[in-house]
Amino acid sequence: MNKKIIITIDGFSSCGKSTLARQLASKLSYVFIDSGAMYRAITLYFLRNHVDWKNKKEVRSALENINLEFVLNPQTGKSDMHLNDENVEALIRDMLVSENVSDVSTDAEVRNFAVTQQRKIGEKKGIVMDGRDIGSTVFPDAELKIFMTADIAIRVERRFKELFEKNPSITIEEVTNNLAMRDYIDSSREVSPLRKAEDAFVLDNTNLTMEEQLKIALKWAKEKLP
Ligand code: DC
């Protein structure tokens, strides 16, 4: 019997899903998968190659030329997103990608492409995957599903601090608009919109430290481990 489980973490943008997923995976010796990185890498490819993502034919042929891989970076100990053998981990966090990724992610073929790979990664279990539709669509039978949320003001503050370090010209207004727009598009799209799976535990971390949220999630995980 496989003693490993699948843990999904979904929620709004900049709730700290990846941080929690990474910490949880490390505590359990599981693999952390940032599904958003896949959508970001696809978006980067489309932008670079001037792919019109409203054109189904263009999307289909572009996807045939995209190879995505998570590759361990020995310097950081983290997995980096590689797009056609190029490390794009830093590039996919650019504002231009952030501004377009939600729109690209509404496309059914793009989602099918990403979801197929996500399910393949999950075959052996022992993963913590974060995203928007992981508990609701990608792994509806996951043993533990967490839905994260936090006040928008807190999320903007956290995201702003993170982005400001790399780009001091970024403004609070830009970050606020980007988060609000992504939340709206991600929640209202037709194909697997962001929503809490019925059996997901809600984790509102507005007033929680990272240690506190990890403690709560670990407790839930231990209850589900065989
Ligand atoms: O997790 P993130 O902020 O890096 O994700 C970027 C975008 O990718 C997000 O705004 C919507 C899309 N996404 C998605 O549609 N489904 C997922 N499972 C993960 C991300």
Side-chain angles (χ1 to χ4, degrees):
M1 183 181 124
N2 189 347
K3 290 196 163 39
K4 294 192 166 176
I5 64 170
I6 291 182
I7 301 175
T8 64
I9 304 184
D10 292 300
F12 297 103
S13 291
S14 296
C15 277
K17 299 184 296 294
S18 301
T19 306
L20 177 65
R22 179 174 285 120
Q23 291 176 340
L24 203 50
S26 154
K27 285 276 180 200
L28 300 170
S29 300
Y30 275 23
V31 177
F32 157 60
I33 304 291
D34 170 6
S35 71
M38 301 171 83
Y39 291 97
R40 285 174 180 271
I42 296 168
T43 304
L44 178 66
Y45 182 93
F46 285 4
L47 289 169
R48 274 178 170 176
N49 294 283
H50 310 289
V51 175
D52 172 8
W53 55 84
K54 299 293 172 205
N55 180 324
K56 281 195 183 315
K57 246 175 111 180
E58 278 193 39
V59 168
R60 204 165 296 154
S61 76
L63 290 173
E64 281 172 13
N65 293 313
I66 295 180
N67 180 50
L68 301 179
E69 236 179 318
F70 288 100
V71 179
L72 185 72
N73 180 333
Q75 271 155 8
T76 59
K78 295 177 183 172
S79 281
D80 287 345
M81 182 83 253
H82 283 224
L83 165 63
N84 296 339
D85 295 325
E86 175 193 354
N87 187 337
V88 293
E89 185 58 38
L91 288 172
I92 58 172
R93 313 289 159 190
D94 267 6
M95 207 54 188
L96 189 61
V97 172
S98 295
E99 277 166 7
N100 291 284
V101 62
S102 282
D103 197 31
V104 168
S105 305
T106 60
D107 184 273
E109 298 230 15
V110 166
R111 300 208 70 77
N112 190 33
F113 177 85
V115 170
T116 304
Q117 300 189 28
Q118 290 154 10
R119 289 191 177 139
K120 188 130 196 60
I121 297 171
E123 273 171 7
K124 289 195 190 124
K125 298 208 168 193
I127 58 161
V128 184
M129 192 178 288
D130 84 306
R132 303 293 187 289
D133 61 339
I134 310 302
S136 57
T137 302
V138 184
F139 299 116
D141 298 328
E143 288 82 355
L144 173 61
K145 300 178 187 178
I146 299 175
F147 188 86
M148 279 176 84
T149 180
D151 278 359
I152 180 89
I154 294 281
R155 293 194 278 132
V156 167
E157 196 185 307
R158 290 179 190 155
R159 188 86 184 127
F160 178 76
K161 274 191 198 150
E162 202 179 294
L163 290 172
F164 186 78
E165 277 175 28
K166 294 175 210 149
N167 172 14
S169 64
I170 194 115
T171 64
I172 288 272
E173 203 190 353
E174 273 178 286
V175 177
T176 309
N177 290 343
N178 181 253
L179 288 196
M181 180 195 71
R182 284 204 286 143
D183 283 351
Y184 173 73
I185 300 177
D186 295 347
S187 315
S188 59
R189 69 178 171 227
E190 258 175 56
V191 190
S192 46
L194 164 66
R195 62 175 171 79
K196 183 185 106 49
E198 258 178 44
D199 49 350
F201 291 96
V202 175
L203 183 56
D204 182 336
N205 69 7
T206 308
N207 297 307
L208 295 179
T209 64
M210 283 203 261
E211 291 75 23
E212 286 167 337
Q213 71 174 17
L214 178 62
K215 213 171 141 188
I216 295 170
L218 264 177
K219 184 175 155 279
W220 288 337
K222 293 201 168 134
E223 284 166 8
K224 298 284 180 183
L225 283 167

